[in-house]
Amino acid sequence: MEFSYKKLWKLLIDREMQKKELCALAGISTATISKMTKGENVTTDTLIKICTALQCDITDILELVETK
């Protein structure tokens, strides 16, 4: 199993927000966004910052998917 951030990318599209804007709003680095784009792990602190900035729940930005 692994985390998928597809929900986050869809949420950004729905809100017409760019990843760079999310970085500024959440106080996270572009390197963190790059890791998430590649499906890599990030800290729970980072996820909380994103949820706080977007005023959403963690289940709105990620999901657990089975690896193939």
Side-chain angles (χ1 to χ4, degrees), residues 1-2 4-8 10 17-22 26 32 34-35 37 39 44 46 50 55 60:
M1 302 288 273
E2 63 185 26
S4 169
Y5 300 103
K6 288 181 182 179
K7 285 184 163 188
L8 173 59
K10 182 172 180 344
M17 180 183 283
Q18 296 182 0
K19 292 175 183 175
K20 189 165 84 170
E21 293 173 298
L22 175 61
T32 299
S34 179
K35 286 176 69 173
T37 301
T44 52
T46 299
I50 292 170
Q55 298 179 344
D60 296 328

Side-chain angles (χ1 to χ4, degrees), residues 5 7-8 11-12 15 17 22 25-28 33 36 42-62:
Y5 300 103
K7 285 184 163 188
L8 173 59
L11 183 63
L12 292 180
R15 295 187 182 192
M17 180 183 283
L22 175 61
L25 187 64
I28 58 175
I33 291 292
M36 294 174 77
V42 296
T43 66
T44 52
D45 288 340
T46 299
L47 298 174
I48 290 169
K49 286 180 182 181
I50 292 170
C51 288
T52 301
L54 296 176
Q55 298 179 344
C56 66
D57 189 72
I58 194 136
T59 58
D60 296 328
I61 64 168
L62 65 84

